[in-house]
Amino acid sequence: MIERYTRPEMGLLWDADHKFGKMMEVEIAVAQVQSQLGIIPKNAAKVIAQKARFNVKRISEIERETKHDVIAFVSNLAENVGPQGKFIHYGMTSSDVLDTAFSLQVREAGVVLMKSIDALEKSLKSLVTKHAETLCAGRTHGMFAEPTTFGFKMAGFLAETQRNKKRVKAALDNMMICKLSGAVGTYSSQAPKIESLVAKKLKLKTETIATQVIPRDRHAEMLSALALFGTGLERLAVELRHLQRSDVGGSD
């Protein structure tokens, strides 16, 4: 995230500490489900949940040796857990934890984003009502056309915002995926039941068919929805900028 363009509440969700925190949440949930099914000792899951800790600086140190980010992360967790740390990441491939943790990050980011969208929608509704009869010039290619009202003009932006809100909601829902099907997605290292139970614990849905990763059309849909919303915001911003011009402000 580019710090000067990022709101603090959103930026915090994407820093290294939060990312690894979500990854740890996934690892703990997997260990708990595996212990329930008798795959790893019950005490192991208990100790992992109690003692799992990470340090971003230490992860970076290990990664310089291993040349692998997830190995470094898991190694750091295991260091802090002790002997039972050998059961962390049991039966998983790297993308299992990376992609599932990413879903958790996206969900939290979605909460922040939807609050902003709701605030924009509320503001536009207020303008539509307040200025329903406030006359202003309609324009074609920037030139005067038939008269309209400022409220009606804002109603067009409100309608677009509401369409974009639906797109973003749908895209966020399709991003709420838990993937624990292992290398190439064949469940060769652990059964689908583990994925299903962990998904329930994390309040996610299981992937229909995965490869090594959660299929990226889900991510593309999210980016597409955000891009469409961005164009709507740009259109509104240009209109507001235009209305601030000295030769327009007093007459439009």
Side-chain angles (χ1 to χ4, degrees), residues 19-35:
K19 170 190 171 183
F20 288 125
K22 292 292 117 177
M23 290 170 65
M24 185 171 73
E25 185 177 338
V26 173
E27 296 284 6
I28 290 172
V30 171
Q32 289 173 335
V33 168
Q34 288 175 335
S35 73

PDB file of all heavy atoms in Angstrom, residues 19-35:
ATOM      1  N   LYS A  19      -1.043  -9.455   7.938  1.00  0.00           N
ATOM      2  CA  LYS A  19      -1.008 -10.588   7.006  1.00  0.00           C
ATOM      3  C   LYS A  19      -0.590 -11.868   7.725  1.00  0.00           C
ATOM      4  O   LYS A  19      -1.270 -12.898   7.628  1.00  0.00           O
ATOM      5  CB  LYS A  19      -0.035 -10.294   5.872  1.00  0.00           C
ATOM      6  CG  LYS A  19       0.255 -11.487   4.978  1.00  0.00           C
ATOM      7  CD  LYS A  19       1.401 -11.208   4.023  1.00  0.00           C
ATOM      8  CE  LYS A  19       1.832 -12.467   3.283  1.00  0.00           C
ATOM      9  NZ  LYS A  19       3.002 -12.221   2.402  1.00  0.00           N
ATOM     10  N   PHE A  20       0.510 -11.801   8.461  1.00  0.00           N
ATOM     11  CA  PHE A  20       0.974 -12.990   9.171  1.00  0.00           C
ATOM     12  C   PHE A  20       0.010 -13.378  10.292  1.00  0.00           C
ATOM     13  O   PHE A  20      -0.117 -14.554  10.627  1.00  0.00           O
ATOM     14  CB  PHE A  20       2.389 -12.771   9.719  1.00  0.00           C
ATOM     15  CG  PHE A  20       3.454 -12.750   8.658  1.00  0.00           C
ATOM     16  CD1 PHE A  20       4.316 -11.672   8.543  1.00  0.00           C
ATOM     17  CD2 PHE A  20       3.587 -13.811   7.776  1.00  0.00           C
ATOM     18  CE1 PHE A  20       5.306 -11.650   7.557  1.00  0.00           C
ATOM     19  CE2 PHE A  20       4.569 -13.814   6.783  1.00  0.00           C
ATOM     20  CZ  PHE A  20       5.434 -12.726   6.672  1.00  0.00           C
ATOM     21  N   GLY A  21      -0.665 -12.381  10.862  1.00  0.00           N
ATOM     22  CA  GLY A  21      -1.664 -12.686  11.877  1.00  0.00           C
ATOM     23  C   GLY A  21      -2.811 -13.509  11.321  1.00  0.00           C
ATOM     24  O   GLY A  21      -3.298 -14.452  11.958  1.00  0.00           O
ATOM     25  N   LYS A  22      -3.257 -13.176  10.120  1.00  0.00           N
ATOM     26  CA  LYS A  22      -4.320 -13.948   9.471  1.00  0.00           C
ATOM     27  C   LYS A  22      -3.823 -15.347   9.097  1.00  0.00           C
ATOM     28  O   LYS A  22      -4.560 -16.330   9.202  1.00  0.00           O
ATOM     29  CB  LYS A  22      -4.816 -13.212   8.229  1.00  0.00           C
ATOM     30  CG  LYS A  22      -5.561 -11.921   8.501  1.00  0.00           C
ATOM     31  CD  LYS A  22      -6.892 -12.178   9.181  1.00  0.00           C
ATOM     32  CE  LYS A  22      -6.970 -11.568  10.546  1.00  0.00           C
ATOM     33  NZ  LYS A  22      -8.262 -11.736  11.212  1.00  0.00           N
ATOM     34  N   MET A  23      -2.564 -15.423   8.646  1.00  0.00           N
ATOM     35  CA  MET A  23      -1.987 -16.731   8.334  1.00  0.00           C
ATOM     36  C   MET A  23      -1.920 -17.597   9.586  1.00  0.00           C
ATOM     37  O   MET A  23      -2.216 -18.803   9.547  1.00  0.00           O
ATOM     38  CB  MET A  23      -0.600 -16.557   7.717  1.00  0.00           C
ATOM     39  CG  MET A  23      -0.619 -15.961   6.306  1.00  0.00           C
ATOM     40  SD  MET A  23       1.010 -15.476   5.672  1.00  0.00           S
ATOM     41  CE  MET A  23       1.840 -17.073   5.567  1.00  0.00           C
ATOM     42  N   MET A  24      -1.563 -16.999  10.717  1.00  0.00           N
ATOM     43  CA  MET A  24      -1.520 -17.742  11.974  1.00  0.00           C
ATOM     44  C   MET A  24      -2.920 -18.212  12.372  1.00  0.00           C
ATOM     45  O   MET A  24      -3.095 -19.330  12.870  1.00  0.00           O
ATOM     46  CB  MET A  24      -0.912 -16.875  13.077  1.00  0.00           C
ATOM     47  CG  MET A  24      -0.718 -17.610  14.395  1.00  0.00           C
ATOM     48  SD  MET A  24       0.227 -16.647  15.613  1.00  0.00           S
ATOM     49  CE  MET A  24      -1.004 -15.413  16.076  1.00  0.00           C
ATOM     50  N   GLU A  25      -3.912 -17.365  12.135  1.00  0.00           N
ATOM     51  CA  GLU A  25      -5.298 -17.735  12.429  1.00  0.00           C
ATOM     52  C   GLU A  25      -5.709 -18.981  11.638  1.00  0.00           C
ATOM     53  O   GLU A  25      -6.368 -19.882  12.172  1.00  0.00           O
ATOM     54  CB  GLU A  25      -6.224 -16.566  12.092  1.00  0.00           C
ATOM     55  CG  GLU A  25      -7.680 -16.776  12.466  1.00  0.00           C
ATOM     56  CD  GLU A  25      -8.546 -15.558  12.170  1.00  0.00           C
ATOM     57  OE1 GLU A  25      -8.009 -14.434  12.075  1.00  0.00           O
ATOM     58  OE2 GLU A  25      -9.769 -15.733  12.024  1.00  0.00           O
ATOM     59  N   VAL A  26      -5.292 -19.031  10.382  1.00  0.00           N
ATOM     60  CA  VAL A  26      -5.600 -20.201   9.542  1.00  0.00           C
ATOM     61  C   VAL A  26      -4.877 -21.437  10.074  1.00  0.00           C
ATOM     62  O   VAL A  26      -5.476 -22.520  10.203  1.00  0.00           O
ATOM     63  CB  VAL A  26      -5.200 -19.943   8.076  1.00  0.00           C
ATOM     64  CG1 VAL A  26      -5.369 -21.225   7.239  1.00  0.00           C
ATOM     65  CG2 VAL A  26      -6.052 -18.821   7.484  1.00  0.00           C
ATOM     66  N   GLU A  27      -3.601 -21.289  10.391  1.00  0.00           N
ATOM     67  CA  GLU A  27      -2.816 -22.431  10.881  1.00  0.00           C
ATOM     68  C   GLU A  27      -3.414 -22.993  12.170  1.00  0.00           C
ATOM     69  O   GLU A  27      -3.496 -24.216  12.350  1.00  0.00           O
ATOM     70  CB  GLU A  27      -1.363 -22.019  11.110  1.00  0.00           C
ATOM     71  CG  GLU A  27      -0.595 -21.600   9.862  1.00  0.00           C
ATOM     72  CD  GLU A  27      -0.173 -22.769   8.988  1.00  0.00           C
ATOM     73  OE1 GLU A  27      -0.565 -23.922   9.279  1.00  0.00           O
ATOM     74  OE2 GLU A  27       0.543 -22.530   8.005  1.00  0.00           O
ATOM     75  N   ILE A  28      -3.830 -22.129  13.066  1.00  0.00           N
ATOM     76  CA  ILE A  28      -4.427 -22.572  14.329  1.00  0.00           C
ATOM     77  C   ILE A  28      -5.746 -23.297  14.066  1.00  0.00           C
ATOM     78  O   ILE A  28      -6.023 -24.351  14.651  1.00  0.00           O
ATOM     79  CB  ILE A  28      -4.630 -21.375  15.278  1.00  0.00           C
ATOM     80  CG1 ILE A  28      -3.281 -20.855  15.774  1.00  0.00           C
ATOM     81  CG2 ILE A  28      -5.522 -21.762  16.458  1.00  0.00           C
ATOM     82  CD1 ILE A  28      -3.357 -19.559  16.567  1.00  0.00           C
ATOM     83  N   ALA A  29      -6.572 -22.742  13.176  1.00  0.00           N
ATOM     84  CA  ALA A  29      -7.861 -23.361  12.864  1.00  0.00           C
ATOM     85  C   ALA A  29      -7.664 -24.751  12.260  1.00  0.00           C
ATOM     86  O   ALA A  29      -8.387 -25.703  12.605  1.00  0.00           O
ATOM     87  CB  ALA A  29      -8.651 -22.483  11.900  1.00  0.00           C
ATOM     88  N   VAL A  30      -6.691 -24.892  11.368  1.00  0.00           N
ATOM     89  CA  VAL A  30      -6.412 -26.201  10.755  1.00  0.00           C
ATOM     90  C   VAL A  30      -5.963 -27.193  11.821  1.00  0.00           C
ATOM     91  O   VAL A  30      -6.430 -28.343  11.861  1.00  0.00           O
ATOM     92  CB  VAL A  30      -5.339 -26.068   9.660  1.00  0.00           C
ATOM     93  CG1 VAL A  30      -4.880 -27.454   9.183  1.00  0.00           C
ATOM     94  CG2 VAL A  30      -5.882 -25.276   8.469  1.00  0.00           C
ATOM     95  N   ALA A  31      -5.060 -26.767  12.700  1.00  0.00           N
ATOM     96  CA  ALA A  31      -4.577 -27.661  13.758  1.00  0.00           C
ATOM     97  C   ALA A  31      -5.722 -28.101  14.668  1.00  0.00           C
ATOM     98  O   ALA A  31      -5.804 -29.278  15.066  1.00  0.00           O
ATOM     99  CB  ALA A  31      -3.492 -26.956  14.570  1.00  0.00           C
ATOM    100  N   GLN A  32      -6.630 -27.179  14.984  1.00  0.00           N
ATOM    101  CA  GLN A  32      -7.757 -27.527  15.859  1.00  0.00           C
ATOM    102  C   GLN A  32      -8.667 -28.556  15.208  1.00  0.00           C
ATOM    103  O   GLN A  32      -9.103 -29.516  15.852  1.00  0.00           O
ATOM    104  CB  GLN A  32      -8.532 -26.256  16.212  1.00  0.00           C
ATOM    105  CG  GLN A  32      -7.781 -25.332  17.162  1.00  0.00           C
ATOM    106  CD  GLN A  32      -8.469 -24.002  17.380  1.00  0.00           C
ATOM    107  OE1 GLN A  32      -9.237 -23.531  16.530  1.00  0.00           O
ATOM    108  NE2 GLN A  32      -8.205 -23.365  18.516  1.00  0.00           N
ATOM    109  N   VAL A  33      -8.955 -28.378  13.919  1.00  0.00           N
ATOM    110  CA  VAL A  33      -9.801 -29.344  13.209  1.00  0.00           C
ATOM    111  C   VAL A  33      -9.094 -30.681  13.079  1.00  0.00           C
ATOM    112  O   VAL A  33      -9.703 -31.751  13.280  1.00  0.00           O
ATOM    113  CB  VAL A  33     -10.190 -28.790  11.823  1.00  0.00           C
ATOM    114  CG1 VAL A  33     -10.816 -29.886  10.954  1.00  0.00           C
ATOM    115  CG2 VAL A  33     -11.162 -27.627  11.976  1.00  0.00           C
ATOM    116  N   GLN A  34      -7.814 -30.661  12.758  1.00  0.00           N
ATOM    117  CA  GLN A  34      -7.061 -31.914  12.637  1.00  0.00           C
ATOM    118  C   GLN A  34      -7.020 -32.671  13.959  1.00  0.00           C
ATOM    119  O   GLN A  34      -7.105 -33.908  13.970  1.00  0.00           O
ATOM    120  CB  GLN A  34      -5.642 -31.621  12.154  1.00  0.00           C
ATOM    121  CG  GLN A  34      -5.568 -31.199  10.695  1.00  0.00           C
ATOM    122  CD  GLN A  34      -4.171 -30.797  10.271  1.00  0.00           C
ATOM    123  OE1 GLN A  34      -3.352 -30.382  11.104  1.00  0.00           O
ATOM    124  NE2 GLN A  34      -3.878 -30.886   8.982  1.00  0.00           N
ATOM    125  N   SER A  35      -6.934 -31.948  15.059  1.00  0.00           N
ATOM    126  CA  SER A  35      -6.918 -32.621  16.366  1.00  0.00           C
ATOM    127  C   SER A  35      -8.284 -33.224  16.684  1.00  0.00           C
ATOM    128  O   SER A  35      -8.380 -34.308  17.269  1.00  0.00           O
ATOM    129  CB  SER A  35      -6.505 -31.632  17.461  1.00  0.00           C
ATOM    130  OG  SER A  35      -7.525 -30.700  17.742  1.00  0.00           O
TER     131      SER A  35
END
